[in-house]
Amino acid sequence: MYQKIDEIKKYIKCFNIQTYDDLETFRIKFLGKKRGILTNLFKELKEISIYKRKIYGKIINELKKEVQRKIFHYQSKNDIIKNEKGLKHDYDPTIPGKSIEIGSIHPLSIIKNRIIEIFLNIGFTYVDGPEIEDDWHNFTALNIPIHHPSRDMQDTFFLCKNPDILLRTHTSSIQIRYMKKHRPPFRVLSIGKVYRNETISSRSNFMFHQAEGFFIDKKVSFSDLKQTVHYLITSLFGKAKIRFRPSYFPFTEPSAEVDIHCNSEWLEIMGCGMVDPEVLKNVDINPEVYSGFAFGVGIERLSLMIYDMKDIRIYFNNDIRFLRQFKSEF
Ligand code: DAH
């Protein structure tokens, strides 16, 4: 055994280490759990007398330390060759790390999330609906007559005619989709993109976002609608002056538009009204028993006021300098 130890000592000393792979081979050769040279010697110790075991035990332990020292030496050596391709391991650990940039939430999404939160607080359910709609959900079931201008090719993006498949022109189609599948009472909110063939300007775009809300139950009245709109506006703006103006929508009766007083002028922000009995009939809800209100708000309009902006195009041209300013809350 003594002779063997002498050879092993030389072997440890002369083992040529240039790469990390060499270092790993070296470690396994001597200390590998199954066939490491020193590991085997330790096993052999069990078979010799106690007297010899003490002496050889000490010597083998020394060898083990020798191997560990050599491993440590190469591990801490900065210029060890990293791999066979000869790449130097030459990083400088003192250079500051590259920070990961975290984006911010888009301002329209911030407002969308805020509105969802406001309505979840008063028991509304949030639902989504398809942006590609058919004529029935977008127009017919909402009591929009066949010659209504919004059915015109000039105003609506039709994907195909007969059958009429189109990009929804408003989120009111969600009312129909939801009411067809559920029985009252319900309070529902939905927010999404709508499309109209409009010229892009500071106030309009061919696509914008709408929030649609509706509430159907027994004995729902116009004062419930007013209260809800008031709650939405004060939650968003704090104290604000609003007014209800009589208006017309085919799917509500009576109908109104809501204006908000902002920078000494009245700005229209939403359409609303009591759901027309014809609409309820179209989705098999008895208008003698149930009534309800509905409203639709333009998110871009609201956001211009909330962020005091003049031009909605800023929300869509992806200017990172603008977008970066928004934190996740306002
Ligand atoms: N859908 C209407 C629009 O896009 C907005 C609207 C008006 C929605 C009255 C409603 C409503 O739910 O009751 O102009």
Side-chain angles (χ1 to χ4, degrees):
M1 195 179 227
Y2 192 77
Q3 214 181 351
K4 224 176 175 181
I5 285 174
D6 219 27
E7 274 170 29
I8 295 169
K9 218 176 192 171
K10 273 188 207 153
Y11 194 11
I12 294 172
K13 221 174 193 168
C14 300
F15 199 102
N16 188 14
I17 297 173
Q18 287 195 1
T19 67
Y20 274 113
D21 283 352
D22 294 343
L23 190 59
E24 188 57 6
T25 313
F26 174 72
R27 187 189 64 76
I28 292 169
K29 182 135 227 131
F30 291 96
L31 301 177
K33 269 192 187 148
K34 274 191 188 154
R35 277 195 286 267
I37 294 174
L38 297 183
T39 319
N40 283 345
L41 280 186
F42 277 118
K43 280 180 201 161
E44 281 176 30
L45 280 182
K46 284 179 204 156
E47 286 147 26
I48 59 176
S49 67
I50 298 183
Y51 174 71
K52 280 186 175 176
R53 197 184 299 166
K54 271 193 178 170
I55 299 170
Y56 282 114
K58 223 174 183 182
I59 296 172
I60 301 166
N61 256 327
E62 267 314 308
L63 290 179
K64 187 180 173 185
K65 279 185 192 153
E66 194 62 37
V67 170
Q68 285 170 332
R69 268 198 291 273
K70 192 160 172 160
I71 293 173
F72 182 73
H73 169 78
Y74 280 100
Q75 270 174 344
S76 52
K77 215 170 148 187
N78 239 359
D79 62 355
I80 193 166
I81 293 168
K82 206 173 177 185
N83 56 36
E84 290 74 40
K85 283 177 200 148
L87 285 173
K88 281 266 188 201
H89 177 65
D90 57 356
Y91 67 81
D92 176 354
T94 62
I95 292 175
K98 281 186 191 151
S99 60
I100 300 165
E101 272 208 60
I102 298 175
S104 53
I105 300 180
H106 192 279
L108 296 178
S109 298
I110 294 175
I111 293 172
K112 171 181 170 176
N113 294 340
R114 179 82 184 104
I115 294 176
I116 293 175
E117 188 188 313
I118 289 168
F119 279 98
L120 290 186
N121 278 343
I122 53 167
F124 276 62
T125 305
Y126 182 80
V127 299
D128 260 331
E131 287 173 26
I132 296 176
E133 262 303 359
D134 54 51
D135 171 282
W136 192 77
H137 289 91
N138 198 83
F139 298 125
T140 310
L142 282 162
N143 208 26
I144 298 177
I146 201 85
H147 297 300
H148 194 276
S150 62
R151 284 173 176 257
D152 192 333
M153 300 274 267
Q154 302 299 317
D155 292 317
T156 299
F157 292 110
F158 283 93
L159 301 183
C160 80
K161 270 283 199 186
N162 289 325
D164 288 352
I165 306 293
L166 45 96
L167 293 180
R168 67 178 175 193
T169 59
H170 53 182
T171 41
S172 302
S173 51
I174 298 281
Q175 293 184 29
I176 303 303
R177 288 204 170 263
Y178 192 88
M179 292 198 286
K180 240 177 36 177
K181 282 208 188 120
H182 300 83
R183 295 297 90 190
F186 40 67
R187 303 165 222 196
V188 180
L189 176 77
S190 186
I191 301 182
K193 294 189 178 86
V194 300
Y195 301 84
R196 292 177 196 179
N197 192 1
E198 280 175 11
T199 325
I200 304 172
S201 74
S202 62
R203 285 293 169 103
S204 64
N205 194 4
F206 60 87
M207 180 281 292
F208 62 98
H209 296 76
Q210 269 190 342
E212 185 87 17
F214 54 98
F215 179 11
I216 310 287
D217 202 343
K218 288 173 183 164
K219 297 186 184 152
V220 178
S221 68
F222 201 88
S223 60
D224 294 317
L225 166 62
K226 280 185 97 171
Q227 183 69 27
T228 307
V229 171
H230 188 259
Y231 163 71
L232 168 67
I233 299 302
T234 47
S235 303
L236 285 176
F237 296 97
K239 229 175 173 192
K241 231 168 144 182
I242 55 171
R243 72 177 180 195
F244 283 73
R245 222 171 357 91
S247 184
Y248 169 76
F249 297 103
F251 34 92
T252 43
E253 180 58 39
S255 304
E257 268 166 306
V258 179
D259 301 334
I260 186 165
H261 196 67
C262 183
N263 296 332
S264 63
E265 54 173 340
W266 289 100
L267 285 173
E268 180 203 316
I269 52 162
M270 71 162 82
C272 59
M274 301 308 290
V275 177
D276 195 292
E278 282 308 310
V279 174
L280 293 179
K281 276 189 217 158
N282 289 338
V283 289
D284 296 322
I285 294 176
N286 185 352
E288 303 294 328
V289 181
Y290 291 103
S291 58
F293 66 73
F295 60 84
V297 198
I299 304 285
E300 279 79 353
R301 273 283 166 89
L302 283 181
S303 71
L304 287 183
M305 276 179 268
I306 288 168
Y307 293 123
D308 199 16
M309 306 298 300
K310 299 269 174 294
D311 193 325
I312 60 167
R313 284 170 288 197
I314 191 130
Y315 294 120
F316 303 109
N317 57 16
N318 292 334
D319 186 337
I320 205 95
R321 292 166 305 176
F322 169 69
L323 297 173
R324 216 175 242 151
Q325 300 172 54
F326 293 91
K327 297 271 181 295
S328 56
E329 69 280 304
F330 69 90

